[in-house]
Amino acid sequence: MDVWKVISEGYNEQDAVDCGNRFLIGNGFVGIRGTLEEYRKDKQAACTLAGVYDKAENQTWREPVNIPNGFYAHIENPGEIESHTQCLDIKTGVHSRITEYKRAVLTIERFANMACVNTICQKITVIPKCAEVTLKCGIDSDVWDINGPHLMDLRAQGGEVISVSARTYEQDIPISVSERCDQTGYETVTENNSVYRVFKISEPFTVKRIIVINAGNEGVHENCGETLEGHTAVYESVAGTYDEMLEAHTAVWAKLWENSAVILKGDDEAQLALNYSLYHLHSIAPRHADNLSIAARGLSGQTYKGAVFWDTEIFLMPFFMYTEPETAKKLINYRIKTIDGAMKKAEEYGFKGAFYAWESQDGGAEGCTDFNVIDVFTERPVRTSFRDKQIHISGDIVYALLKYARWTGDNKIFDYGGIDLICACADFYKSRAYCRVGEKELEFPDVVGPDEYHERVDNNAFTNRIADLTLNYAKNRYKVRKPRLRDGIIEQFDGYFDLEDASLETVRSRLKHKREYWGTQSGVAFATQIIKQADVLAMMNLFPEDYTKEDFEKNWFYYEPRTEHGSSLSACMYALGACRFGRADLAYPMFLKSARADLDGGGKSWAGNVFIGGTHPASAGGAYMIVTQGFAGLKQEDNSLTLNPCLPKEIESIEFPVIFRGEKYKIKVTQNTSEIERVNNV
Ligand code: BGC
């Protein structure tokens, strides 16, 4: 098995959406869905820009902008498909497809350049099997849009450089996609705001295309030209041939793997899945910018509004902290820089300090609406409380900031806005807390914890603990109420134990529609103990020092059967929890589930009538956490690292590098040994 390649054999049109996720390529600036070159919006073809949002006319929310597809290509009337292979080389981020039609063989290679992020490159080879075939390739504007259209004044222009330029609807952000190829002898066709080169081919033919993307507010090549001359100028500023770019791109990937590859000896299936997960994390990291973070669906389209959730702080941070501390810093800086959005949100609700957006978009603006789900029966929007009640988000950010500083030793972050952020979050919790007459402990009524199926509950254990951390960072002055314990089991929120203790099967059997939403007050889970995702277990994993092995074991066996795992963020928390009481056998299938989320596809794509499909970076980050913190048991003890392995029987040994306080270490654990070796300075 090649553990660095994802391959799909045979042509299946039905697979278009899953393949779009599975074969995604990206470089942090742009993500290109793994749809075939001839696909258009009906097959969810999309090139999604990081951090460029728009609200279309008469729409209620913003979403990221999908730009015209510079990779568009097809052979006219090629005849039946005789064979088809799609392949993603996850070591180098190069996607390829070979399709043998009756009248020609089409081979296309493409990549999103890691060495120069606003370029994407494509090599098309056509071998005709008849006298002449026609290849049409260019920039196609018919891309997927959920709540668009977002692009106005679309203009397609031909010439030596072909281009499509446009402006976003709401903020008038200029966008352009321009391309130059290394072949002549074509005819240029412009139609429907798209532009193509048409080649008549009678012998084996290859064309190499370099496509330059510009978005006015990105800080990368801001001189987005509006005229053809302008496009040419922008184009000229990106030097290099296809082959040179491929070489530079591959070199960047090699460097990324050098500091991040994890070797799982003896288990190719796990190895491929983990390589794939880390591939995704690398592909969506905004290394090029200082004001961006990572969206919950990465760069796989517009779902979840391209917004940044707690996923980044809790599920992605460990990977970037261990392997690319400078990128981890950018993720923290995004929150520091967007504190104004959080202050504004707190003020809107009448609180002090910083209440971060549940779905953070540009400038920290809240993207979550009060009606975030559409009821499948009535098709009416349903009032959800994620926006106003999921207050753990501010504490999650504080948690990540403290972990980052402790791991990297970068205490300067406190002076560069870190302390202000922590104080502002503490101010928020102070003003949001409630204290009963005659009592001293603070309480947090009316919240939503990580388990989104139970809205507006009191004293969610996770929320109270993370608020406690934030409030007491400086001095231990506040006492936040701990939840009730029953036989060592932590009650998820006040009154949880009194809810109906129905089995998952029973609750599932009550559904009347397969897309029905389980949460909100009328959902099937609300009056029961069935939860969407790890909640108490998530808290225990964030604060493992508070709990014994027995605590982990008891709570795991109580909560896991009551968890629907309706979020891809769930399995990894249970896997980590199982490692804490030595049950790698329980953790292993959950590791595979997390690492394979986008390889297998088929995850939940609908919340009520709202489409939520796309890639699952938090699940990928979770898989990394399971291997490093769970199987290897890596832990920081002040100035040093310790290991406490809990290896599943399938894996002989695990080896990985980490960068800790500016130095690189190689970690190796086997079934009965563990070692940490300092390699060199980074
Ligand atoms: C989960 C949240 C998560 C969001 C984005 C939801 O389904 O419940 O915890 O932040 O998806 O991944």
Side-chain angles (χ1 to χ4, degrees):
M1 181 194 256
D2 187 338
V3 295
W4 291 101
K5 287 206 167 74
V6 177
I7 300 172
S8 146
E9 302 270 3
Y11 182 78
N12 178 2
E13 228 182 294
Q14 307 310 319
D15 226 14
V17 172
D18 276 349
C19 279
N21 296 327
R22 191 177 306 136
F23 292 101
L24 182 108
I25 56 172
N27 58 17
F29 172 78
V30 61
I32 295 139
R33 288 181 61 76
T35 43
L36 299 178
E37 284 76 6
E38 61 273 30
Y39 284 174
R40 294 195 152 116
K41 74 151 115 340
D42 56 320
K43 301 266 186 0
Q44 300 188 350
C47 308
T48 307
L49 286 188
V52 182
Y53 297 92
D54 184 66
K55 184 160 79 177
E57 194 175 5
N58 300 327
Q59 288 293 353
T60 42
W61 65 55
R62 284 192 183 148
E63 61 188 9
V65 171
N66 284 341
I67 55 167
N69 175 15
F71 279 157
Y72 184 84
H74 87 267
I75 294 183
E76 283 179 0
N77 303 320
E80 273 155 38
I81 294 177
E82 292 172 353
S83 70
H84 174 76
T85 306
Q86 194 170 356
C87 174
L88 180 64
D89 184 328
I90 48 184
K91 196 168 221 162
T92 59
V94 176
H95 173 275
S96 58
R97 60 90 64 94
I98 305 180
T99 311
E100 177 150 12
Y101 298 97
K102 190 155 179 250
R103 302 182 63 227
V105 183
L106 174 69
T107 307
I108 306 183
E109 181 180 276
R110 67 190 194 202
F111 59 93
N113 195 349
M114 272 284 186
C116 176
V117 293
N118 70 332
T119 55
I120 58 175
C121 310
Q122 186 190 47
K123 180 167 99 179
I124 307 176
T125 301
V126 178
I127 302 177
K129 290 159 71 184
C130 57
E132 187 181 86
V133 288
T134 303
L135 169 73
K136 193 169 171 185
C137 57
I139 307 168
D140 185 87
S141 295
D142 193 20
V143 291
W144 184 37
D145 238 348
I146 299 183
N147 285 295
H150 297 292
L151 299 181
M152 306 291 117
D153 305 334
L154 273 152
R155 268 202 296 161
Q157 296 176 81
E160 203 182 324
V161 173
I162 59 170
S163 66
V164 175
S165 62
R167 296 187 161 272
T168 60
Y169 177 79
E170 187 193 9
Q171 294 178 62
D172 213 27
I173 301 167
I175 307 275
S176 84
V177 180
S178 38
E179 176 256 352
R180 175 175 287 169
C181 74
D182 68 347
Q183 283 286 5
T184 51
Y186 49 80
E187 187 196 334
T188 308
V189 177
T190 46
E191 55 195 27
N192 303 328
N193 300 322
S194 302
V195 54
Y196 310 97
R197 301 180 198 273
V198 178
F199 295 95
K200 302 274 182 207
I201 297 167
S202 52
E203 53 191 50
F205 168 88
T206 295
V207 57
K208 295 175 183 171
R209 311 174 60 224
I210 296 187
I211 298 127
V212 180
I213 300 163
N214 288 278
N217 73 346
E218 256 314 285
V220 180
H221 295 280
E222 278 179 357
N223 53 336
C224 168
E226 268 197 275
T227 60
L228 185 56
E229 292 68 45
H231 284 297
T232 315
V234 169
Y235 192 90
E236 297 297 346
S237 69
V238 178
T241 63
Y242 179 91
D243 295 323
E244 284 161 357
M245 287 195 180
L246 180 57
E247 202 182 315
H249 164 82
T250 312
V252 175
W253 270 103
K255 183 84 196 136
L256 293 175
W257 287 117
E258 203 181 296
N259 284 341
S260 65
V262 179
I263 303 167
L264 302 178
K265 202 163 159 221
D267 190 343
D268 281 359
E269 190 196 0
Q271 181 72 73
L272 171 65
L274 186 63
N275 288 347
Y276 181 72
S277 297
L278 306 195
Y279 161 82
H280 267 288
L281 299 177
H282 282 311
S283 305
I284 56 178
R287 300 182 183 88
H288 63 286
D290 280 327
N291 54 353
L292 294 180
S293 184
I294 299 177
R297 289 286 184 256
L299 293 171
S300 63
Q302 296 159 314
T303 34
Y304 277 137
K305 306 173 193 126
V308 181
F309 290 63
W310 71 313
D311 304 31
T312 306
E313 280 70 25
I314 303 299
F315 297 82
L316 305 186
M317 271 307 272
F319 173 72
F320 290 107
M321 252 163 50
Y322 294 1
T323 65
E324 264 181 75
E326 60 291 0
T327 303
K329 186 175 182 172
K330 283 178 189 271
L331 302 178
I332 298 289
N333 268 333
Y334 168 79
R335 297 300 194 172
I336 290 177
K337 289 186 176 171
T338 58
I339 196 164
D340 287 353
M343 306 285 274
K344 212 169 128 204
K345 179 171 166 187
E347 201 185 329
E348 180 192 330
Y349 286 107
F351 299 117
K352 290 192 179 138
F355 179 10
Y356 275 89
W358 179 243
E359 300 183 7
S360 179
Q361 297 184 323
D362 39 354
E366 177 62 273
C368 190
T369 68
D370 282 339
F371 300 90
N372 231 28
V373 169
I374 313 251
D375 182 61
V376 285
F377 303 109
T378 60
E379 294 191 352
R380 289 186 196 125
V382 180
R383 176 68 160 97
T384 49
S385 305
F386 315 135
R387 184 189 207 273
D388 42 344
K389 311 288 180 191
Q390 209 152 164
I391 62 167
H392 65 83
I393 179 66
S394 290
D396 301 335
I397 293 166
V398 171
Y399 179 90
L401 194 155
L402 295 175
K403 281 272 162 182
Y404 162 82
R406 187 162 179 261
W407 176 270
T408 57
D410 173 12
N411 289 323
K412 287 202 198 112
I413 196 93
F414 291 115
D415 296 335
Y416 289 108
I419 282 291
D420 294 345
L421 184 152
I422 298 171
C423 293
C425 292
D427 284 346
F428 165 64
Y429 284 127
K430 269 183 254 169
S431 65
R432 175 62 164 76
Y434 169 94
C435 192
R436 287 172 203 261
V437 178
E439 296 285 339
K440 291 212 169 61
E441 289 180 336
L442 299 183
E443 298 190 26
F444 289 93
D446 200 9
V447 301
V448 181
D451 160 31
E452 292 185 341
Y453 288 168
H454 293 90
E455 296 193 7
R456 309 198 63 171
V457 299
D458 298 337
N459 294 310
N460 165 257
F462 182 103
T463 308
N464 282 21
R465 183 65 184 88
I466 210 103
D468 186 316
L469 171 85
T470 310
L471 286 165
N472 290 317
Y473 161 70
K475 290 187 189 125
N476 251 355
R477 276 194 293 160
Y478 300 93
K479 253 190 132 16
V480 179
R481 219 190 81 189
K482 287 215 168 79
R484 178 160 64 137
L485 276 180
R486 193 177 73 187
D487 301 331
I489 297 160
I490 301 161
E491 187 171 44
Q492 189 176 292
F493 52 82
D494 290 354
Y496 171 84
F497 288 145
D498 307 326
L499 296 176
E500 185 196 0
D501 197 9
S503 73
L504 191 54
E505 291 66 44
T506 306
V507 171
R508 187 174 278 120
S509 72
R510 293 175 185 163
L511 290 171
K512 293 194 162 67
H513 190 294
K514 66 175 187 312
R515 282 189 196 165
E516 188 181 335
Y517 184 63
W518 292 43
T520 69
Q521 305 205 352
S522 57
V524 285
F526 188 72
T528 77
Q529 290 190 29
I530 295 302
I531 61 174
K532 178 177 180 184
Q533 66 203 87
D535 191 313
V536 167
L537 260 291
M539 171 189 73
M540 296 177 83
N541 283 319
L542 295 196
F543 301 96
E545 59 286 354
D546 293 358
Y547 304 101
T548 63
K549 218 168 145 177
E550 289 69 36
D551 293 335
F552 270 100
E553 187 165 3
K554 274 193 176 170
N555 282 278
W556 198 98
F557 281 108
Y558 188 83
Y559 280 107
E560 201 286 326
R562 291 170 176 79
T563 306
E564 191 234 343
H565 296 293
S567 159
S568 64
L569 277 54
S570 192
C572 87
M573 285 297 178
Y574 281 100
L576 278 172
C579 292
R580 307 248 178 229
F581 58 95
R583 291 290 302 272
D585 59 315
L586 296 172
Y588 183 74
M590 293 180 163
F591 158 71
L592 281 186
K593 186 175 169 193
S594 302
R596 295 190 59 90
D598 294 317
L599 273 179
D600 294 337
K604 261 196 186 172
S605 293
W606 298 90
N609 265 354
V610 175
F611 183 70
I612 55 166
T615 56
H616 299 82
S619 193
Y624 180 81
M625 274 158 71
I626 299 168
V627 172
T628 53
Q629 300 177 358
F631 296 161
L634 175 65
K635 193 172 146 210
Q636 175 179 1
E637 305 267 10
D638 295 323
N639 297 327
S640 62
L641 299 176
T642 61
L643 297 168
N644 182 16
C646 176
L647 241 64
K649 66 176 184 340
E650 290 80 357
I651 302 175
E652 265 170 53
S653 66
I654 304 180
E655 222 178 301
F656 58 95
V658 293
I659 297 163
F660 174 59
R661 303 221 163 155
E663 280 165 358
K664 189 167 169 178
Y665 294 83
K666 198 167 86 189
I667 289 173
K668 183 164 181 189
V669 298
T670 68
Q671 291 287 350
N672 26 16
T673 61
S674 63
E675 64 187 270
I676 302 177
E677 186 197 333
R678 199 171 122 197
V679 189
N680 53 20
N681 284 341
V682 183

